[in-house]
Amino acid sequence: MDALIDKIRQGDRRSLARAMSLVDQGTSAAQTLKDRLRGLSGQVPWWGFTGPPGVGKSTLIDALLSILRERECRIGVVAVDPSSPTSGGALLGDRVRMMRHAVDQDVFIRSLATHHYEGGLSDAALHCARLLELARYDRVLIETVGVGQNEVDIASVADICVVMLGPGYGDEIQLIKAGLLEIADIVVVNKCDLPEANRLLKEVYEELGHSSSVTSVAIVGVEAKSGKGVDLLLDKLLELDGTARGTEQRERHKRRQMLGEIRRSALLMYEQALERRLTAPDMIELIAQLERGELSLADVVKQLSAGSTV
Ligand SMILES: Nc1nc2c(ncn2[C@@H]2O[C@H](COP(=O)(O)OP(=O)(O)OP(=O)(O)O)[C@@H](O)[C@H]2O)c(=O)[nH]1
Ligand SMILES: [Mg+2]
């Protein structure tokens, strides 16, 4: 394990890829590695990019990579593949869109597909990001599709959360009300080359302007495809990174990440204990009593928790 960690620190890409495959396997080696990763300094900022399928997250990350590479920043990317029918194979899409950077030795791109990760996507994304940090990348960029609770979860793994919107996704403001914007530090309206983008930008300004709790959210209009406005977005991101608020936020997020890890692990343990309890011999009698109306459901649950290690 020490040798593997050393090699990752020295920038060995194959070891990094191997460790990324290892962390989600649930073996004792994987557990040891995860425990080691948890002790990292946490100095590397993680930027999350979330938004509906096809809004242009990969295109934007690709454009950011170009500028960041000009500035000799080494960047790690974790792209979470939604595997959704709407996006039609984002895994391939991400690869193609970021292909020119994938051969760059100072860029590392890892795609995660939903069905491959038993421990859950947030867990896989979290550990891949930590590994990129171990490999001394200057920034870690995380792409996730923001439509459901899970994705909001993944976004909360990041230190700075960029929520992307674009014209042509029906009622965008519904996404805002669904809480996606609550997690945003920066809202990006992409595809500003399309005429409907103006209306959307206006709606976002109005929505955020009226909500006092989110006044510090920056709103940036970009054209990810041509790169227009992306430098301004990068300035905002770096500005957030450099402030005390950024440092504070990073610490808060690291704590939240660990809480999430504890929660997932505890839930799994409770669930396993409950399963064992439900197959114990006395369950037959409890069920019979419930059936006869001698016990209520609440009584049964009480008895279950009283007599178990849960
Ligand atoms: N008109 C226009 N199209 C864009 C712009 N940026 C991206 N696109 C297009 O939008 C489509 C989706 O882009 P992606 O970058 O794959 O979007 P994504 O959000 O990563 O998609 P998923 O990973 O599938 O969720 C592509 O066809 C892009 O060329 C833009 O600024 N203007
Ligand atoms: Mg994508």
Side-chain angles (χ1 to χ4, degrees):
M1 193 54 67
D2 284 338
L4 180 68
I5 288 176
D6 275 349
K7 279 189 161 173
I8 295 170
R9 276 215 175 96
Q10 286 156 18
D12 182 62
R13 296 169 70 90
R14 283 181 60 186
S15 299
L16 177 58
R18 230 185 81 214
M20 284 183 171
S21 306
L22 181 69
V23 280
D24 206 60
Q25 286 170 5
T27 59
S28 61
Q31 206 48 55
T32 311
L33 180 59
K34 285 186 190 181
D35 288 339
R36 294 284 292 272
L37 290 175
R38 212 165 289 123
L40 287 174
S41 63
Q43 289 308 303
V44 175
W46 297 2
W47 297 348
F49 297 81
T50 192
V55 74
K57 300 176 293 292
S58 301
T59 310
L60 179 69
I61 290 176
D62 182 75
L64 281 168
L65 280 173
S66 298
I67 311 178
L68 285 163
R69 290 300 300 130
E70 275 170 23
R71 302 185 188 183
E72 302 196 342
C73 253
R74 299 177 67 242
I75 306 293
V77 181
V78 184
V80 175
D81 169 26
S83 304
S84 73
T86 37
S87 65
L91 201 56
L92 186 63
D94 287 339
R95 292 239 173 93
V96 170
R97 258 179 277 293
M98 300 186 218
M99 187 62 88
R100 58 194 174 127
H101 295 293
V103 292
D104 184 339
Q105 287 300 301
D106 290 314
V107 172
F108 193 97
I109 300 169
R110 174 74 177 199
S111 290
L112 301 176
T114 318
H115 50 279
H116 290 155
Y117 292 88
E118 284 181 13
L121 264 183
S122 352
D123 213 58
L126 177 69
H127 288 106
C128 285
R130 282 185 179 157
L131 280 165
L132 289 165
E133 190 164 341
L134 180 69
R136 299 167 190 274
Y137 285 94
D138 299 310
R139 296 284 184 293
V140 174
L141 276 48
I142 305 170
E143 172 184 339
T144 66
V145 173
V147 280
Q149 194 52 49
N150 255 351
E151 291 74 17
V152 171
D153 232 37
I154 299 165
S156 73
V157 160
D159 301 307
I160 298 177
C161 186
V162 176
V163 168
M164 283 184 80
L165 303 172
Y169 286 92
D171 198 354
E172 290 276 358
I173 297 302
Q174 275 321 107
L175 283 172
I176 299 173
K177 299 214 166 107
L180 200 55
L181 283 200
E182 272 169 31
I183 57 165
D185 298 295
I186 301 175
V187 177
V188 165
V189 172
N190 188 31
K191 308 194 183 183
C192 281
D193 50 307
L194 302 180
E196 314 91 273
N198 252 340
R199 181 193 55 85
L200 178 60
L201 254 176
K202 203 168 140 256
E203 276 177 354
V204 174
Y205 270 110
E206 277 170 9
E207 188 67 32
L208 290 183
H210 289 310
S211 161
S212 55
S213 63
V214 284
T215 42
S216 59
V217 176
I219 302 165
V220 186
V222 303
E223 290 173 25
K225 215 166 162 179
S226 69
K228 204 166 159 188
V230 178
D231 47 350
L232 183 74
L233 170 66
L234 183 59
D235 287 346
K236 295 261 181 233
L237 283 162
L238 293 171
E239 198 182 298
L240 271 178
D241 260 1
T243 59
R245 189 179 142 226
T247 314
E248 238 171 65
Q249 198 152 323
R250 199 145 52 238
E251 279 167 14
R252 210 171 48 236
H253 276 130
K254 303 289 170 200
R255 279 199 298 276
R256 201 194 295 170
Q257 284 162 18
M258 298 221 197
L259 265 182
E261 267 191 287
I262 295 169
R263 188 171 187 276
R264 282 191 294 275
S265 182
L267 278 176
L268 191 69
M269 193 178 78
Y270 293 153
E271 210 175 292
Q272 285 166 349
L274 180 63
E275 280 313 318
R276 276 197 305 276
R277 186 66 189 84
L278 288 175
T279 49
D282 69 325
M283 273 313 291
I284 296 170
E285 180 51 29
L286 280 178
I287 291 169
Q289 285 179 301
L290 180 67
E291 220 171 18
R292 291 197 295 268
E294 292 161 17
L295 286 178
S296 71
L297 194 58
D299 293 333
V300 174
V301 172
K302 240 182 250 166
Q303 289 211 20
L304 280 186
S305 35
S308 78
T309 50
V310 175

